Amino acid sequence: MSLNQLFNSKITHVERVQRPMASGENKNVPFVQHQGVRVTLENGSQHLIHKGPGYGRASETVVTDARHMSNKWSVSSSQGVNNGTTVGDLVKAGGKSYSLVGDNCYDAAARMNSKATGK
């Protein structure tokens, strides 16, 4: 699937997901979680959309195949989506730039979840 096809793919389901926040040397930061959304597409494939500093080039909100998610990720909510919502809609909702205060992974995950569900 090309990048354009992926971004134009319609989403059928969205899950808000989180994992422990890692610091240097693979140590977890206590009480802090990294968040994103895992989406299911019409073809049944799943992708993780999440945001972080230095994650991408054109945008710090990125899409990866969910098969690459570690077992440290857990689902915090699971919902159906508004008809017609695409992967590209959620990447746009996640935002291009990262800021620790005001535009971080928590903010992006909340906006993407809201865009997908209308809630």
mmCIF file of all heavy atoms in Angstrom, residues 48-83:
data_model
loop_
_atom_site.group_PDB
_atom_site.id
_atom_site.type_symbol
_atom_site.label_atom_id
_atom_site.label_comp_id
_atom_site.label_asym_id
_atom_site.label_seq_id
_atom_site.Cartn_x
_atom_site.Cartn_y
_atom_site.Cartn_z
ATOM 1 N N LEU A 48 -0.646 2.185 14.113
ATOM 2 C CA LEU A 48 -0.469 3.072 15.257
ATOM 3 C C LEU A 48 -0.184 4.474 14.736
ATOM 4 O O LEU A 48 0.687 4.654 13.875
ATOM 5 C CB LEU A 48 0.707 2.593 16.118
ATOM 6 C CG LEU A 48 1.158 3.532 17.237
ATOM 7 C CD1 LEU A 48 0.078 3.669 18.301
ATOM 8 C CD2 LEU A 48 2.463 3.030 17.841
ATOM 9 N N ILE A 49 -0.934 5.454 15.243
ATOM 10 C CA ILE A 49 -0.678 6.854 14.919
ATOM 11 C C ILE A 49 -0.317 7.534 16.235
ATOM 12 O O ILE A 49 -1.103 7.504 17.187
ATOM 13 C CB ILE A 49 -1.914 7.529 14.282
ATOM 14 C CG1 ILE A 49 -2.434 6.704 13.105
ATOM 15 C CG2 ILE A 49 -1.566 8.950 13.837
ATOM 16 C CD1 ILE A 49 -3.745 7.214 12.528
ATOM 17 N N HIS A 50 0.892 8.093 16.293
ATOM 18 C CA HIS A 50 1.331 8.733 17.533
ATOM 19 C C HIS A 50 2.293 9.862 17.220
ATOM 20 O O HIS A 50 2.741 10.018 16.087
ATOM 21 C CB HIS A 50 1.924 7.717 18.513
ATOM 22 C CG HIS A 50 3.124 6.986 18.014
ATOM 23 N ND1 HIS A 50 4.211 6.718 18.807
ATOM 24 C CD2 HIS A 50 3.436 6.448 16.807
ATOM 25 C CE1 HIS A 50 5.120 6.050 18.134
ATOM 26 N NE2 HIS A 50 4.669 5.869 16.903
ATOM 27 N N LYS A 51 2.597 10.656 18.234
ATOM 28 C CA LYS A 51 3.367 11.880 18.057
ATOM 29 C C LYS A 51 4.498 11.946 19.076
ATOM 30 O O LYS A 51 4.319 11.580 20.234
ATOM 31 C CB LYS A 51 2.433 13.077 18.260
ATOM 32 C CG LYS A 51 3.080 14.426 18.078
ATOM 33 C CD LYS A 51 2.040 15.511 18.241
ATOM 34 C CE LYS A 51 2.556 16.800 17.667
ATOM 35 N NZ LYS A 51 1.491 17.768 17.505
ATOM 36 N N GLY A 52 5.639 12.441 18.622
ATOM 37 C CA GLY A 52 6.758 12.632 19.530
ATOM 38 C C GLY A 52 7.834 13.476 18.898
ATOM 39 O O GLY A 52 7.882 13.632 17.678
ATOM 40 N N PRO A 53 8.728 14.022 19.703
ATOM 41 C CA PRO A 53 9.789 14.879 19.176
ATOM 42 C C PRO A 53 10.745 14.075 18.291
ATOM 43 O O PRO A 53 11.256 13.038 18.699
ATOM 44 C CB PRO A 53 10.489 15.411 20.429
ATOM 45 C CG PRO A 53 10.183 14.407 21.490
ATOM 46 C CD PRO A 53 8.833 13.844 21.151
ATOM 47 N N GLY A 54 10.925 14.545 17.061
ATOM 48 C CA GLY A 54 11.837 13.884 16.145
ATOM 49 C C GLY A 54 11.300 12.613 15.513
ATOM 50 O O GLY A 54 12.050 11.875 14.881
ATOM 51 N N TYR A 55 10.000 12.334 15.641
ATOM 52 C CA TYR A 55 9.437 11.098 15.099
ATOM 53 C C TYR A 55 9.377 11.093 13.577
ATOM 54 O O TYR A 55 9.485 10.049 12.965
ATOM 55 C CB TYR A 55 8.033 10.852 15.650
ATOM 56 C CG TYR A 55 7.988 10.234 17.027
ATOM 57 C CD1 TYR A 55 9.058 10.287 17.898
ATOM 58 C CD2 TYR A 55 6.848 9.587 17.456
ATOM 59 C CE1 TYR A 55 8.991 9.727 19.162
ATOM 60 C CE2 TYR A 55 6.773 9.016 18.710
ATOM 61 C CZ TYR A 55 7.846 9.077 19.555
ATOM 62 O OH TYR A 55 7.772 8.509 20.794
ATOM 63 N N GLY A 56 9.142 12.253 12.963
ATOM 64 C CA GLY A 56 9.000 12.294 11.508
ATOM 65 C C GLY A 56 9.710 13.488 10.915
ATOM 66 O O GLY A 56 10.288 14.305 11.630
ATOM 67 N N ARG A 57 9.643 13.602 9.597
ATOM 68 C CA ARG A 57 10.286 14.720 8.903
ATOM 69 C C ARG A 57 9.290 15.839 8.635
ATOM 70 O O ARG A 57 9.453 16.937 9.120
ATOM 71 C CB ARG A 57 10.903 14.234 7.601
ATOM 72 C CG ARG A 57 12.068 13.313 7.845
ATOM 73 C CD ARG A 57 12.717 12.901 6.557
ATOM 74 N NE ARG A 57 13.792 11.955 6.836
ATOM 75 C CZ ARG A 57 14.315 11.170 5.951
ATOM 76 N NH1 ARG A 57 13.886 11.201 4.710
ATOM 77 N NH2 ARG A 57 15.271 10.340 6.278
ATOM 78 N N ALA A 58 8.260 15.551 7.845
ATOM 79 C CA ALA A 58 7.265 16.581 7.507
ATOM 80 C C ALA A 58 6.310 16.823 8.666
ATOM 81 O O ALA A 58 5.724 17.893 8.783
ATOM 82 C CB ALA A 58 6.488 16.173 6.260
ATOM 83 N N SER A 59 6.138 15.823 9.518
ATOM 84 C CA SER A 59 5.229 15.918 10.657
ATOM 85 C C SER A 59 5.762 15.045 11.780
ATOM 86 O O SER A 59 6.325 13.980 11.534
ATOM 87 C CB SER A 59 3.829 15.440 10.245
ATOM 88 O OG SER A 59 2.971 15.371 11.368
ATOM 89 N N GLU A 60 5.561 15.494 13.014
ATOM 90 C CA GLU A 60 5.972 14.675 14.158
ATOM 91 C C GLU A 60 4.855 13.743 14.617
ATOM 92 O O GLU A 60 5.011 13.016 15.589
ATOM 93 C CB GLU A 60 6.476 15.579 15.285
ATOM 94 C CG GLU A 60 7.778 16.247 14.866
ATOM 95 C CD GLU A 60 8.415 17.096 15.929
ATOM 96 O OE1 GLU A 60 7.784 18.072 16.364
ATOM 97 O OE2 GLU A 60 9.544 16.785 16.306
ATOM 98 N N THR A 61 3.725 13.751 13.889
ATOM 99 C CA THR A 61 2.689 12.733 14.041
ATOM 100 C C THR A 61 2.927 11.718 12.933
ATOM 101 O O THR A 61 2.941 12.070 11.752
ATOM 102 C CB THR A 61 1.276 13.334 13.926
ATOM 103 O OG1 THR A 61 1.103 14.315 14.958
ATOM 104 C CG2 THR A 61 0.207 12.267 14.080
ATOM 105 N N VAL A 62 3.144 10.467 13.308
ATOM 106 C CA VAL A 62 3.540 9.443 12.345
ATOM 107 C C VAL A 62 2.617 8.229 12.405
ATOM 108 O O VAL A 62 1.912 8.012 13.396
ATOM 109 C CB VAL A 62 5.003 8.998 12.577
ATOM 110 C CG1 VAL A 62 5.967 10.155 12.349
ATOM 111 C CG2 VAL A 62 5.185 8.416 13.970
ATOM 112 N N VAL A 63 2.653 7.441 11.332
ATOM 113 C CA VAL A 63 1.847 6.219 11.212
ATOM 114 C C VAL A 63 2.796 5.043 11.044
ATOM 115 O O VAL A 63 3.694 5.091 10.196
ATOM 116 C CB VAL A 63 0.908 6.288 9.988
ATOM 117 C CG1 VAL A 63 0.035 5.045 9.906
ATOM 118 C CG2 VAL A 63 0.071 7.547 10.004
ATOM 119 N N THR A 64 2.600 3.996 11.843
ATOM 120 C CA THR A 64 3.398 2.785 11.712
ATOM 121 C C THR A 64 2.469 1.579 11.720
ATOM 122 O O THR A 64 1.367 1.636 12.264
ATOM 123 C CB THR A 64 4.418 2.638 12.860
ATOM 124 O OG1 THR A 64 3.719 2.581 14.101
ATOM 125 C CG2 THR A 64 5.394 3.788 12.889
ATOM 126 N N ASP A 65 2.909 0.507 11.140
ATOM 127 C CA ASP A 65 2.148 -0.732 11.156
ATOM 128 C C ASP A 65 2.065 -1.207 12.610
ATOM 129 O O ASP A 65 3.085 -1.268 13.304
ATOM 130 C CB ASP A 65 2.846 -1.773 10.286
ATOM 131 C CG ASP A 65 2.000 -2.996 10.025
ATOM 132 O OD1 ASP A 65 1.452 -3.572 10.989
ATOM 133 O OD2 ASP A 65 1.885 -3.376 8.851
ATOM 134 N N ALA A 66 0.879 -1.544 13.061
ATOM 135 C CA ALA A 66 0.677 -1.945 14.461
ATOM 136 C C ALA A 66 1.414 -3.239 14.802
ATOM 137 O O ALA A 66 1.637 -3.521 15.985
ATOM 138 C CB ALA A 66 -0.806 -2.079 14.768
ATOM 139 N N ARG A 67 1.828 -3.994 13.801
ATOM 140 C CA ARG A 67 2.588 -5.223 14.079
ATOM 141 C C ARG A 67 3.921 -4.921 14.752
ATOM 142 O O ARG A 67 4.519 -5.801 15.367
ATOM 143 C CB ARG A 67 2.823 -6.008 12.792
ATOM 144 C CG ARG A 67 1.542 -6.634 12.236
ATOM 145 C CD ARG A 67 1.821 -7.394 10.988
ATOM 146 N NE ARG A 67 2.100 -6.430 9.918
ATOM 147 C CZ ARG A 67 2.238 -6.755 8.643
ATOM 148 N NH1 ARG A 67 2.151 -8.017 8.264
ATOM 149 N NH2 ARG A 67 2.482 -5.833 7.736
ATOM 150 N N HIS A 68 4.369 -3.669 14.657
ATOM 151 C CA HIS A 68 5.646 -3.291 15.265
ATOM 152 C C HIS A 68 5.495 -2.767 16.692
ATOM 153 O O HIS A 68 6.489 -2.378 17.312
ATOM 154 C CB HIS A 68 6.348 -2.237 14.398
ATOM 155 C CG HIS A 68 6.610 -2.709 13.006
ATOM 156 N ND1 HIS A 68 7.486 -3.729 12.712
ATOM 157 C CD2 HIS A 68 6.067 -2.328 11.831
ATOM 158 C CE1 HIS A 68 7.485 -3.945 11.412
ATOM 159 N NE2 HIS A 68 6.640 -3.110 10.850
ATOM 160 N N MET A 69 4.271 -2.757 17.221
ATOM 161 C CA MET A 69 4.044 -2.301 18.598
ATOM 162 C C MET A 69 4.562 -3.352 19.580
ATOM 163 O O MET A 69 4.324 -4.538 19.394
ATOM 164 C CB MET A 69 2.549 -2.051 18.855
ATOM 165 C CG MET A 69 1.980 -0.907 18.059
ATOM 166 S SD MET A 69 0.169 -0.786 18.208
ATOM 167 C CE MET A 69 -0.003 -0.278 19.919
ATOM 168 N N SER A 70 5.236 -2.903 20.633
ATOM 169 C CA SER A 70 5.712 -3.843 21.651
ATOM 170 C C SER A 70 4.540 -4.280 22.532
ATOM 171 O O SER A 70 3.453 -3.700 22.485
ATOM 172 C CB SER A 70 6.790 -3.186 22.517
ATOM 173 O OG SER A 70 6.194 -2.267 23.409
ATOM 174 N N ASN A 71 4.800 -5.261 23.364
ATOM 175 C CA ASN A 71 3.760 -5.735 24.288
ATOM 176 C C ASN A 71 3.568 -4.788 25.465
ATOM 177 O O ASN A 71 2.758 -5.049 26.343
ATOM 178 C CB ASN A 71 4.075 -7.149 24.780
ATOM 179 C CG ASN A 71 5.380 -7.220 25.545
ATOM 180 O OD1 ASN A 71 6.080 -6.222 25.724
ATOM 181 N ND2 ASN A 71 5.716 -8.416 25.991
ATOM 182 N N LYS A 72 4.290 -3.675 25.486
ATOM 183 C CA LYS A 72 4.132 -2.688 26.564
ATOM 184 C C LYS A 72 2.949 -1.757 26.325
ATOM 185 O O LYS A 72 2.544 -1.024 27.222
ATOM 186 C CB LYS A 72 5.416 -1.871 26.727
ATOM 187 C CG LYS A 72 6.582 -2.711 27.215
ATOM 188 C CD LYS A 72 7.826 -1.895 27.379
ATOM 189 C CE LYS A 72 8.965 -2.797 27.861
ATOM 190 N NZ LYS A 72 10.210 -2.054 27.985
ATOM 191 N N TRP A 73 2.393 -1.764 25.110
ATOM 192 C CA TRP A 73 1.228 -0.936 24.804
ATOM 193 C C TRP A 73 -0.030 -1.579 25.389
ATOM 194 O O TRP A 73 -0.184 -2.798 25.357
ATOM 195 C CB TRP A 73 1.046 -0.799 23.291
ATOM 196 C CG TRP A 73 2.060 0.082 22.631
ATOM 197 C CD1 TRP A 73 3.248 -0.307 22.090
ATOM 198 C CD2 TRP A 73 1.961 1.492 22.426
ATOM 199 N NE1 TRP A 73 3.900 0.785 21.558
ATOM 200 C CE2 TRP A 73 3.132 1.898 21.747
ATOM 201 C CE3 TRP A 73 0.999 2.452 22.743
ATOM 202 C CZ2 TRP A 73 3.367 3.222 21.391
ATOM 203 C CZ3 TRP A 73 1.237 3.762 22.386
ATOM 204 C CH2 TRP A 73 2.405 4.139 21.713
ATOM 205 N N SER A 74 -0.932 -0.755 25.910
ATOM 206 C CA SER A 74 -2.222 -1.248 26.408
ATOM 207 C C SER A 74 -3.330 -0.325 25.896
ATOM 208 O O SER A 74 -3.098 0.841 25.594
ATOM 209 C CB SER A 74 -2.238 -1.310 27.935
ATOM 210 O OG SER A 74 -2.078 -0.019 28.478
ATOM 211 N N VAL A 75 -4.526 -0.875 25.804
ATOM 212 C CA VAL A 75 -5.684 -0.129 25.307
ATOM 213 C C VAL A 75 -6.387 0.536 26.479
ATOM 214 O O VAL A 75 -6.705 -0.117 27.471
ATOM 215 C CB VAL A 75 -6.664 -1.067 24.577
ATOM 216 C CG1 VAL A 75 -7.916 -0.328 24.142
ATOM 217 C CG2 VAL A 75 -5.976 -1.720 23.385
ATOM 218 N N SER A 76 -6.616 1.855 26.372
ATOM 219 C CA SER A 76 -7.343 2.559 27.433
ATOM 220 C C SER A 76 -8.789 2.833 27.053
ATOM 221 O O SER A 76 -9.628 3.025 27.925
ATOM 222 C CB SER A 76 -6.634 3.864 27.814
ATOM 223 O OG SER A 76 -6.538 4.734 26.705
ATOM 224 N N SER A 77 -9.123 2.867 25.747
ATOM 225 C CA SER A 77 -10.513 2.974 25.308
ATOM 226 C C SER A 77 -10.613 2.447 23.884
ATOM 227 O O SER A 77 -9.626 2.427 23.149
ATOM 228 C CB SER A 77 -11.029 4.419 25.385
ATOM 229 O OG SER A 77 -10.399 5.231 24.424
ATOM 230 N N SER A 78 -11.806 2.017 23.504
ATOM 231 C CA SER A 78 -12.032 1.420 22.196
ATOM 232 C C SER A 78 -13.404 1.840 21.698
ATOM 233 O O SER A 78 -14.391 1.696 22.424
ATOM 234 C CB SER A 78 -11.950 -0.106 22.331
ATOM 235 O OG SER A 78 -12.177 -0.725 21.098
ATOM 236 N N GLN A 79 -13.472 2.402 20.462
ATOM 237 C CA GLN A 79 -14.740 2.927 19.963
ATOM 238 C C GLN A 79 -14.848 2.783 18.459
ATOM 239 O O GLN A 79 -13.843 2.706 17.753
ATOM 240 C CB GLN A 79 -14.868 4.408 20.319
ATOM 241 C CG GLN A 79 -14.859 4.669 21.808
ATOM 242 C CD GLN A 79 -14.833 6.147 22.118
ATOM 243 O OE1 GLN A 79 -14.014 6.876 21.592
ATOM 244 N NE2 GLN A 79 -15.742 6.578 22.971
ATOM 245 N N GLY A 80 -16.100 2.826 17.982
ATOM 246 C CA GLY A 80 -16.355 2.938 16.553
ATOM 247 C C GLY A 80 -16.038 4.357 16.117
ATOM 248 O O GLY A 80 -15.783 5.229 16.942
ATOM 249 N N VAL A 81 -16.067 4.595 14.817
ATOM 250 C CA VAL A 81 -15.687 5.910 14.303
ATOM 251 C C VAL A 81 -16.784 6.502 13.430
ATOM 252 O O VAL A 81 -17.683 5.807 12.977
ATOM 253 C CB VAL A 81 -14.373 5.841 13.487
ATOM 254 C CG1 VAL A 81 -13.229 5.350 14.335
ATOM 255 C CG2 VAL A 81 -14.534 4.972 12.263
ATOM 256 N N ASN A 82 -16.666 7.822 13.205
ATOM 257 C CA ASN A 82 -17.543 8.512 12.270
ATOM 258 C C ASN A 82 -17.287 7.963 10.865
ATOM 259 O O ASN A 82 -16.135 7.729 10.498
ATOM 260 C CB ASN A 82 -17.257 10.016 12.261
ATOM 261 C CG ASN A 82 -17.673 10.698 13.535
ATOM 262 O OD1 ASN A 82 -18.635 10.303 14.181
ATOM 263 N ND2 ASN A 82 -16.950 11.741 13.903
ATOM 264 N N ASN A 83 -18.347 7.764 10.105
ATOM 265 C CA ASN A 83 -18.189 7.287 8.728
ATOM 266 C C ASN A 83 -17.318 8.237 7.930
ATOM 267 O O ASN A 83 -17.446 9.447 8.040
ATOM 268 C CB ASN A 83 -19.550 7.164 8.050
ATOM 269 C CG ASN A 83 -20.351 5.997 8.587
ATOM 270 O OD1 ASN A 83 -19.791 5.075 9.163
ATOM 271 N ND2 ASN A 83 -21.646 6.029 8.392
#
